[in-house]
Amino acid sequence: MRIDEISVFINVLEAGSFAGAARRLGMPATTVSAKVAALERRLGFTLIQRTTRKLRATREGQAYFERCRAALREIETVEAELRAESAGIGGQLRLTASVDIAQTLLPPVIAAFREAYPAVAVDLVVTDRVADLVAEGIDLAVRVGPLHDSSLISRAFVTGPSGLFACQSYLNRRGTPASLDELEHHDLIAISKPWARPLPMLMGDRKIGIDLSGGLACDDLLTVRALVAMGLGISFLPGYLAHQLDLVRVLPDLRSPFTGLYFAYPAQKFVPARVREFMGFAVSTVKRLGLHP
């Protein structure tokens, strides 16, 4: 078995081309092609179907890719774990989160973590898309839960009530709605994202959809929070965002099906020490600083 050939094959499919894999690996494209060809000869079947414009894995190639990628990540993790144990916690922690999480919860956590573990370099990837952790080499993600991806392991990070919020000045001026019927007569700030049209909520065990459409809409939660804080209306916010500005919960019997924030990382036997330490450190730091309810 040639581990280098398998590694090159995995990089080709992850990069989407032989040239992309060559750039990743720092080797000539001809070498990349030769190693994949050698692997196919040894196995006795075609792994990649090539055309002039694109490539794709065969059925056998896709199965081989998925199993071997998981095995190589396991090997890499074991080596990283052993290095961390012998030399103290260090290396690079690649972390991803959405914009609202990255701009509120994570900066104080990362600052405190870097002070405690200066040998760990933190690379924060800020994006609202759901990143492929394995393909993009990301150690840890912060995501809204509950999570249903069986290829990932999750751990609770921040829990707390998410729902409808307003600022006190707005409620002083317009009154506090006591029912969904009364809510319809208030200024509402819609969240113009697919998951919020209509806004999914729970009342007891009953699922309902709430229409927040009106004269104002926004597709960014941090901006929605700013608009709510200015007294422009009532809107949905995650509990940790509302808590930081002491906003007031409206219709508290309504609750969100989103249960909080979770850490997510690829399922693997050995989790690097820096990943374990960051998760525990983040939970304790957020509680210590009072950044969530």
Side-chain angles (χ1 to χ4, degrees):
M1 181 181 294
R2 295 289 301 275
I3 298 296
D4 62 324
E5 293 174 355
I6 298 173
S7 178
V8 168
F9 163 66
I10 290 171
N11 273 276
V12 169
L13 287 188
E14 288 181 344
S17 68
F18 285 86
R23 288 191 296 271
R24 269 188 175 194
L25 298 169
M27 63 176 61
T30 52
T31 302
V32 170
S33 181
K35 287 184 178 293
V36 172
L39 179 61
E40 290 177 323
R41 284 196 301 271
R42 182 170 62 79
L43 295 174
F45 52 77
T46 300
L47 296 171
I48 297 174
Q49 291 180 333
R50 308 158 178 84
T51 68
T52 55
R53 292 190 175 183
K54 61 181 180 179
L55 57 81
R56 69 177 183 88
T58 62
R59 182 175 61 84
E60 297 84 358
Q62 185 63 33
Y64 192 73
F65 166 75
E66 292 172 359
R67 296 290 295 273
C68 287
R69 181 170 65 171
L72 282 182
R73 283 190 63 86
E74 189 87 349
I75 293 170
E76 292 169 356
T77 301
V78 171
E79 291 180 352
E81 185 78 11
L82 293 175
R83 286 195 297 268
E85 290 179 357
S86 63
I89 296 176
Q92 184 184 69
L93 174 67
R94 199 150 191 255
L95 175 69
T96 187
S98 62
V99 174
D100 60 297
I101 298 168
Q103 292 189 9
T104 56
L105 288 177
L106 290 184
V109 169
I110 291 173
F113 182 77
R114 286 279 297 143
E115 184 176 354
Y117 299 101
V120 178
V122 178
D123 179 9
L124 177 59
V125 179
V126 181
T127 177
D128 285 332
R129 66 180 177 81
V130 178
D132 184 328
L133 304 189
V134 174
E136 298 179 43
I138 294 173
D139 299 301
L140 190 63
V142 181
R143 291 182 176 170
V144 176
L147 304 180
H148 303 291
D149 188 339
S150 61
S151 68
L152 300 176
I153 296 174
S154 64
R155 173 178 172 179
F157 175 27
V158 168
T159 57
S162 297
L164 300 180
F165 288 88
C167 73
Q168 190 61 58
S169 65
Y170 173 87
L171 298 177
N172 292 341
R173 187 174 74 253
R174 296 291 306 276
T176 301
S179 67
L180 288 175
D181 288 339
E182 291 186 13
L183 182 68
E184 294 178 0
H185 301 290
H186 278 262
D187 296 330
L188 304 175
I189 303 171
I191 299 171
S192 47
K193 286 182 176 291
W195 59 264
R197 296 179 294 191
L199 179 70
M201 296 294 283
L202 299 172
M203 181 171 281
D205 295 328
R206 185 165 61 98
K207 297 180 180 179
I208 61 175
I210 298 177
D211 183 7
L212 294 179
S213 61
L216 186 56
C218 180
D219 66 352
D220 175 72
L221 286 175
L222 286 176
T223 307
V224 169
R225 183 178 71 165
L227 296 171
V228 171
M230 292 175 63
L232 295 182
I234 298 171
S235 190
F236 171 84
L237 285 170
Y240 68 89
L241 286 182
H243 171 75
Q244 293 173 14
L245 292 185
D246 293 324
L247 298 176
V248 180
R249 184 90 178 269
V250 174
L251 298 175
D253 288 341
L254 286 174
R255 56 190 177 88
S256 171
F258 307 117
T259 56
L261 300 180
Y262 290 78
F263 290 115
Y265 54 94
Q268 52 195 343
K269 187 174 180 181
F270 296 97
V271 180
R274 61 184 178 274
V275 174
R276 293 198 311 267
E277 287 297 320
F278 183 86
M279 288 189 290
F281 195 90
V283 170
S284 62
T285 300
V286 165
K287 288 181 178 178
R288 175 172 56 83
L289 297 178
L291 297 177
H292 76 94

